[in-house]
Amino acid sequence: MSTNQYDVLVLGAGASGLMTAYMAAQRGRKVLVVEKANKVGKKILMSGGGKCNFTNLYVEPSNFISHNPHFVISALTRYTNWDFIGLVCTYGIEYEERKHGQLFTLNGAKEILAMLLAECEKTGLVEIKTNCEVKAITALDDQGFQTATTLGYFETESVVIASGGLSIPTLGGSGIGYDIAKQFGHHVYPTRAGLVPFTFSDHFKEVTTKLSGNAVDATLSNELNSFTEALLFTHRGLSGPSSLQLSNYWDVGQSFKINFLPYLDVLEFLMQKKKSQPKVLLRTLFAEHLPKSVVAELQNLIWLEQAETAIGNLSDEKLQQIANRLQAFEVKPSGTEGYRTAEVTLGGVDTTEVSSKTMESKKQKGLYFVGEVLDVTGHLGGFNFQWAWSSAHAASQYV
C-alpha cells in the first residue's frame, strides 16, 4: 500500500472514533484517523468536569432518545457497559460510583484518553493526523472512497463518520458529519442543543439571578418526562442535572413544572404544622427543608400576601393553593444556552437508513456512522459515552 492508502478512514478522534480505530485495527485493518482540531479527544478531557463519566451501571434502551428507539438495542447488547468497565480495569484506572449508577474516573479523564490511544498504538496499525480537515469525500467507481483533506488525498475501502455533533464548537463540534450523510442521500433529523441549561427573560430571570449559586433537589416535569435531581440557579436561568435532563424533552415556547419539595407531601406537612405550631410563619417552616434565600424568593412568588400571617390563621383552602404552587410551579424558559454549553446534539442521521448491526449506511456501501452524529442521544449520566463505545464496536467488526 502507498502511504496514502488505508483500509479504513475514521473522521474524528473523539470517543467513538478512537474506539472504532483500535478495534478495527485489532482485526488487522490499517486505519487512518483524521481530526481537524490540534489535539485528539478534547471533549473526553473536559467531560464530567474533567473526571469523565465514562459509563453507567444501569444501561437500558430507555436511557436513549431517538426517532427509532429500537435501533440502539443491538449495539448496546453486543458491547455492554461491563465490557468497557473491564477494559478500564485492565488499565488499572480507578473509578467511583456516584448517584444513579454514574461511573467517574478518580484521577481524571486523561486516563480514559490515554487508554484509547494506548490501545491504538498497541495494534501498530492506527495512524492519527491532527490539524487535518476533510474537504470532500468521493465514492470511487470500483469501490471505496477518496477523501480530500488539508493534508492531501487518501484512498480507503471504508469511511467511518465519527465527527460528533454541533455541541461545544470550541472543542471542535461541527456539522460535517450531517453534510456527508446528506451528500450520500441520507435523511438527517433537525438538530438542536441537548443536555443544556435553560435561560429566562421574564420576571423569573430576576429570581434565578438573585439565587445564582444555590442548588436544591427538585423535580422538573412536562408531559414527556420528569427528573428528580439537583436544580441549580444561575445568572442566566436554571442548570444542574434536572434541568439538563429535561432540556432533551423541551422545545422553545413550552413551559414545565418545578416541584421544589419532591420528597415531602407539602399539604400534609402544613396541616400538621397548623395544629402543632399555629403561631409559626410559613417561611420558618419551609426553611426546615430549603435554603432561606430560596424560601424568601418563593414567598415573594407564592404567598407574599400571607407572608406575615401565622399558619393557624390561614384557611385549609389557602394552604392547599400554596402547596400546589410549591409542588407544581410553572415556568416558561425563553430558550437554552445553546450549543455553546450543550453536552450533546439532539437529532442527526436517520437511523432507519443505517444498519443497527454494522452501523453501515443502507445508501452507500462502505460508509459507516458511529456516536453522536446519529439520531441517538443518551440521558445525562455516562450514556452518551456508552453509545460511543457500543456503536464503535459494532462498526469496527465490519469496516
Side-chain angles (χ1 to χ4, degrees):
M1 280 186 178
S2 79
T3 50
N4 284 358
Q5 283 195 310
Y6 299 82
D7 296 316
V8 184
L9 180 135
V10 177
L11 172 51
S16 60
L18 294 173
M19 189 86 171
T20 306
Y22 93 73
M23 287 189 150
Q26 284 177 340
R27 292 176 44 238
R29 308 294 278 157
K30 187 181 177 191
V31 184
L32 172 66
V33 183
V34 296
E35 169 57 58
K36 78 167 189 187
N38 60 345
K39 288 196 186 98
V40 302
K42 280 188 169 186
K43 210 168 162 190
I44 298 175
L45 292 174
M46 63 74 67
S47 65
K51 291 286 191 180
C52 190
N53 179 191
F54 58 85
T55 191
N56 195 291
L57 289 178
Y58 314 107
V59 177
E60 301 289 339
S62 59
N63 298 126
F64 298 87
I65 302 163
S66 174
H67 288 86
N68 176 20
H70 298 293
F71 179 78
V72 299
I73 296 169
S74 175
L76 291 173
T77 307
R78 285 177 293 138
Y79 190 89
T80 69
N81 47 348
W82 302 108
D83 291 315
F84 194 79
I85 292 165
L87 179 65
V88 166
C89 291
T90 304
Y91 275 78
I93 296 172
E94 293 182 79
Y95 64 89
E96 62 177 349
E97 179 190 346
R98 296 192 195 168
K99 60 184 180 182
H100 308 297
Q102 301 172 12
L103 300 185
F104 286 80
T105 63
L106 279 177
N107 300 311
K110 60 187 183 298
E111 292 190 331
I112 297 291
L113 180 57
M115 172 185 82
L116 295 171
L117 292 172
E119 286 291 303
C120 285
E121 204 167 304
K122 223 186 326 184
T123 66
L125 290 171
V126 178
E127 194 179 331
I128 300 172
K129 293 185 185 293
T130 53
N131 293 309
C132 181
E133 198 165 339
V134 169
K135 293 298 184 190
I137 295 179
T138 312
L140 302 174
D141 291 340
D142 48 349
Q143 74 171 24
F145 301 86
Q146 185 187 65
T147 303
T149 75
T150 47
L151 297 180
Y153 290 86
F154 302 99
E155 286 191 10
T156 58
E157 285 175 37
S158 308
V159 168
V160 181
I161 308 300
S163 54
L166 298 164
S167 45
I168 321 187
T170 51
L171 297 181
S174 85
I176 187 170
Y178 310 128
D179 297 337
I180 293 165
K182 287 173 187 169
Q183 176 196 330
F184 287 99
H186 278 268
H187 171 243
V188 176
Y189 281 104
T191 55
R192 61 187 175 89
L195 296 180
V196 62
F198 290 110
T199 56
F200 292 83
S201 56
D202 57 6
H203 71 284
F204 195 65
K205 163 95 165 24
E206 296 162 29
V207 176
T208 67
T209 303
K210 276 191 211 165
L211 292 176
S212 182
N214 277 283
V216 296
D217 274 344
T219 300
L220 271 57
S221 61
N222 61 13
E223 291 74 39
L224 295 175
N225 219 323
S226 83
F227 296 94
T228 305
E229 289 191 58
L231 172 68
L232 176 69
F233 296 95
T234 75
H235 287 292
R236 288 182 289 275
L238 296 174
S239 187
S242 58
S243 293
L244 300 185
Q245 296 277 38
L246 197 70
S247 72
N248 282 355
Y249 295 90
W250 176 88
D251 225 330
V252 177
Q254 296 174 347
S255 58
F256 60 83
K257 292 188 168 77
I258 304 173
N259 179 349
F260 286 103
L261 291 160
Y263 303 116
L264 190 67
D265 182 327
V266 175
L267 183 61
E268 190 186 316
F269 168 73
L270 291 176
M271 290 307 201
Q272 284 176 351
K273 294 294 186 183
K274 188 175 177 178
K275 282 185 192 143
S276 62
Q277 292 174 271
K279 293 183 176 168
V280 175
L281 297 176
L282 290 178
R283 63 173 172 267
T284 310
L285 296 172
F286 289 127
E288 293 174 23
H289 297 278
L290 291 165
K292 277 186 179 168
S293 53
V294 175
V295 173
E297 291 305 320
L298 289 174
Q299 174 176 277
N300 290 340
L301 290 168
I302 298 173
W303 69 91
L304 188 57
E305 287 178 17
Q306 295 80 31
E308 306 307 325
T309 308
I311 188 169
N313 296 331
L314 292 172
S315 69
D316 292 358
E317 190 186 358
K318 191 70 216 173
L319 293 178
Q320 171 89 63
Q321 285 173 7
I322 291 167
N324 289 351
R325 291 282 314 276
L326 272 170
Q327 299 208 282
F329 188 84
E330 195 163 331
V331 296
K332 190 173 182 179
S334 55
T336 69
E337 290 189 10
Y339 291 120
R340 186 178 62 80
T341 58
E343 293 194 22
V344 292
T345 306
L346 288 151
V349 178
D350 187 342
T351 57
T352 60
E353 300 171 348
V354 176
S355 163
S356 62
K357 183 184 178 188
T358 66
M359 301 292 141
E360 186 175 19
S361 162
K362 294 178 183 177
K363 306 257 181 186
Q364 175 64 52
K365 189 173 172 10
L367 180 66
Y368 296 78
F369 297 93
V370 294
E372 196 185 344
V373 73
L374 287 158
D375 172 39
V376 173
T377 305
H379 288 170
L380 189 72
F383 300 105
N384 288 293
F385 270 124
Q386 186 57 46
W387 175 245
W389 316 137
S390 295
S391 58
H393 168 266
S396 71
Q397 304 307 297
Y398 296 93
V399 293

